[in-house]
């Protein structure tokens, strides 16, 4: 038996001596590196003539302690950073803040964007934020405060400080794949509570919703629609040819009214909701045919970074011509889907819309939130996607001014 078995137990047993710990070679090297970095920084500061009151922030690696555990270097005090400019004072820019971006749509529908450098105003640091089409789905029901201005009519959409447009912020992204693309716009949301609820629950997020300016609980319905991934528009009533016998409502834009009156009605309607990419007309045959009355309205939309969708119901509309001169993203609906409230008639119109998209690459159809329309569109969409048709938000199909 070994001698250990005969060794005394308990307190009387001699303890083995533990080796004494010292600084490791790696720890010494880290400390030497930190000291060298501080010395070089101090030398450069003196050599460049920086005043004594200036402070240099230096990142120092973790320093090993005597017991072998790494300890972080304490953060600099608030007084040491008092000369640094606050983050809020920095010039902010989107992802394209230092470039000119020119999108071009090819014959097959593919969009190619060319970027070239551009000078920027001002000096000092620039905080570049990555801009993208659409919102984080978790925040889709919340407006971007940078894209709103406070007015007597409420919060109205505007371009952001870096040029970001509401049209881009609230747009529904699409795949960018080749093939026919179709946008379906369902209007009249907010007029009927049950109809609005059915449309939001029955239709997929690829369908664009247009909320009537005279509807009820618009902000609540908007939030539910955005949470379901829908792109939305604001539906503005405009003077039809048989006005006032056919009166679209108290906020109707009328060609006989002054520009100031019509802009006030427009802004009152716009202040009732947020998170929309643009405006679509409701009726408006006479108003859309009057360029003098229409021009101030479209100019205001262009200045705010919104789009304008013409429902295509008036052959005399001047919106397309004016949009080109105002740099306003614009488009016409190709078909009205529910001129006849019959399931079979609506399904036939949807098939016609697909044929248009196959021929010209894309197409826009517009309808209202009637039960028959919602049921037919929901049924047709399930089959169309299997045929290679992509349903996109309407903003994806509206031409930028230079391509109109």
């Amino acid at each position: 038996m070994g001698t250990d078995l005969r060794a005394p137990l308990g307190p009387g047993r001699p303890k083995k001596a533990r080796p004494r710990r010292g600084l490791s070679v790696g720890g010494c090297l880290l400390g030497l590196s930190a000291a060298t970095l501080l010395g070089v920084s101090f030398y450069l500061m003196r050599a460049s003539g920086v005043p004594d009151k200036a402070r240099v922030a230096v990142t120092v690696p973790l320093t090993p302690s005597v017991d072998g555990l790494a300890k972080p270097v304490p953060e600099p005090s608030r007084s040491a950073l008092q000369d640094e400019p606050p983050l809020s004072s920095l010039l902010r820019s989107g992802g394209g803040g230092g470039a000119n971006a020119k999108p071009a749509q090819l014959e097959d529908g593919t969009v190619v964007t060319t970027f070239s450098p551009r000078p920027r105003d001002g000096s000092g640091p620039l905080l570049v934020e990555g801009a993208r089409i659409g919102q984080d789905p978790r925040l889709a029901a919340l407006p971007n405060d940078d894209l709103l201005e406070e007015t007597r009519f409420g919060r109205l959409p505007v371009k952001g400080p870096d040029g970001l447009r509401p049209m881009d912020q609230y747009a529904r992204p699409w795949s960018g794949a080749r093939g026919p693309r179709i946008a379906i716009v369902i209007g009249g949301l907010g007029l009927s509570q049950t109809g609005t609820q059915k449309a939001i629950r029955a239709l997929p997020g690829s369908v664009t919703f247009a909320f009537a300016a005279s509807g009820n609980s618009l902000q609540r319905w908007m939030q539910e629609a955005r949470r379901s991934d829908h792109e939305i528009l604001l539906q503005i009533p405009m003077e039809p040819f048989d006005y006032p016998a056919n009166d679209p409502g108290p906020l109707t834009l009328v060609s006989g009214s002054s520009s100031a009156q019509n802009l006030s009605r427009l802004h009152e309607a716009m202040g009732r909701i947020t998170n929309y990419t643009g405006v679509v007309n409701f009726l408006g045959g006479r108003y859309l045919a009057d360029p003098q009355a229409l021009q101030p309205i479209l100019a205001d939309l262009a200045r705010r970074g919104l789009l304008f969708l013409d429902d295509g119901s008036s052959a005399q509309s001047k919106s397309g011509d004016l949009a080109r001169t105002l740099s306003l993203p614009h488009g016409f609906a190709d078909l009205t889907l529910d001129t006849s409230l019959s399931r079979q008639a609506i399904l036939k119109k949807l098939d016609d819309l697909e044929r248009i998209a196959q021929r010209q690459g894309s197409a826009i159809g517009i309808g209202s939130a009637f039960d028959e329309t919602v049921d037919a569109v929901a049924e047709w969409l399930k089959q169309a996607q299997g045929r290679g048709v992509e349903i996109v938000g309407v903003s994806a199909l509206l031409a930028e001014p230079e391509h109109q």
Side-chain angles (χ1 to χ4, degrees), residues 129-204:
E129 299 173 328
R132 63 183 177 85
I133 299 296
Q135 280 182 295
D136 186 320
R138 296 168 296 181
L139 304 175
L142 302 176
N144 182 341
D145 290 336
D146 289 339
L147 305 183
L148 292 171
E149 68 171 350
E150 296 290 343
T151 73
R152 64 188 180 94
F153 301 103
R155 297 188 296 173
L156 302 186
V158 292
K159 292 180 182 179
D162 60 352
L164 178 64
R165 303 176 300 180
M167 171 184 172
D168 298 321
Q169 174 75 104
Y170 305 124
R172 176 183 169 84
W174 64 288
S175 70
R178 298 182 179 183
R181 294 175 295 156
I182 290 177
I184 296 179
V185 180
I186 298 298
L189 272 77
L191 296 176
S192 165
Q193 300 293 295
T194 56
T196 301
Q197 187 176 57
K198 177 176 180 177
I200 293 175
R201 293 182 177 179
L203 296 175

Side-chain angles (χ1 to χ4, degrees), residues 134-135 140-143 157 166-173 184-190 196 199-200 204-212 217-236 269-270 272-280 305-309 392-396 398:
Q135 280 182 295
L142 302 176
M167 171 184 172
D168 298 321
Q169 174 75 104
Y170 305 124
R172 176 183 169 84
I184 296 179
V185 180
I186 298 298
L189 272 77
T196 301
I200 293 175
S206 55
V207 175
T208 301
F209 287 153
F211 285 84
S217 306
L218 293 187
Q219 195 71 5
R220 175 171 67 90
W221 288 123
M222 177 279 293
Q223 292 173 343
E224 187 168 343
R226 292 289 294 157
R227 291 190 191 101
S228 300
D229 208 21
H230 294 274
E231 183 176 321
I232 65 174
L233 300 173
L234 179 63
Q235 202 168 22
I236 299 293
M270 293 171 70
R272 302 197 62 205
I273 195 174
T274 59
N275 294 47
Y276 50 91
T277 58
V279 164
V280 59
L306 299 172
L307 62 83
F308 181 72
L309 174 65
V392 298
V394 71
S395 63
L398 265 61

Side-chain angles (χ1 to χ4, degrees), residues 139-390:
L139 304 175
L142 302 176
N144 182 341
D145 290 336
D146 289 339
L147 305 183
L148 292 171
E149 68 171 350
E150 296 290 343
T151 73
R152 64 188 180 94
F153 301 103
R155 297 188 296 173
L156 302 186
V158 292
K159 292 180 182 179
D162 60 352
L164 178 64
R165 303 176 300 180
M167 171 184 172
D168 298 321
Q169 174 75 104
Y170 305 124
R172 176 183 169 84
W174 64 288
S175 70
R178 298 182 179 183
R181 294 175 295 156
I182 290 177
I184 296 179
V185 180
I186 298 298
L189 272 77
L191 296 176
S192 165
Q193 300 293 295
T194 56
T196 301
Q197 187 176 57
K198 177 176 180 177
I200 293 175
R201 293 182 177 179
L203 296 175
S206 55
V207 175
T208 301
F209 287 153
F211 285 84
S214 57
N216 299 308
S217 306
L218 293 187
Q219 195 71 5
R220 175 171 67 90
W221 288 123
M222 177 279 293
Q223 292 173 343
E224 187 168 343
R226 292 289 294 157
R227 291 190 191 101
S228 300
D229 208 21
H230 294 274
E231 183 176 321
I232 65 174
L233 300 173
L234 179 63
Q235 202 168 22
I236 299 293
M238 298 183 181
E239 177 188 10
F241 283 113
D242 53 352
Y243 181 86
N246 183 9
D247 188 349
L251 297 177
T252 300
L253 307 184
V254 181
S255 56
S257 300
S258 67
S259 297
Q261 289 175 318
N262 281 326
L263 284 171
S264 292
R265 292 169 188 159
L266 173 68
H267 293 165
E268 184 177 349
M270 293 171 70
R272 302 197 62 205
I273 195 174
T274 59
N275 294 47
Y276 50 91
T277 58
V279 164
V280 59
N281 62 292
F282 174 62
L283 300 178
R286 178 179 294 170
Y287 193 82
L288 290 170
D290 186 341
Q292 186 174 358
L294 183 60
Q295 193 274 346
I297 299 300
L298 298 187
D300 188 74
L301 299 180
R303 180 178 66 84
R304 296 179 180 280
L306 299 172
L307 62 83
F308 181 72
L309 174 65
D310 190 315
D311 70 1
S313 60
S314 174
Q316 302 178 43
S317 174
K318 305 298 183 184
S319 65
D321 296 334
L322 289 171
R324 281 188 288 271
T325 65
L326 296 170
S327 298
L328 172 68
H330 172 276
F332 288 99
D334 296 282
L335 285 178
T336 300
L337 302 175
D338 47 10
T339 50
S340 174
L341 279 181
S342 159
R343 172 180 167 278
Q344 289 302 323
I346 296 171
L347 289 173
K348 183 179 183 304
K349 284 290 186 73
L350 288 165
D351 289 338
D352 293 340
L353 191 68
E354 183 177 350
R355 281 188 282 271
I356 294 173
Q358 294 282 2
R359 184 173 65 252
Q360 63 186 27
S362 63
I364 300 174
I366 190 167
S368 297
F370 301 122
D371 288 347
E372 296 85 350
T373 306
V374 171
D375 291 339
V377 169
E379 175 184 344
W380 182 85
L381 286 175
K382 295 176 182 178
Q383 303 170 1
Q385 293 176 341
R387 297 191 293 269
V389 176
E390 183 174 6

Side-chain angles (χ1 to χ4, degrees), residues 90-102:
L90 295 179
L91 179 63
R92 308 173 77 91
S93 173
N100 290 313
K102 292 186 177 180

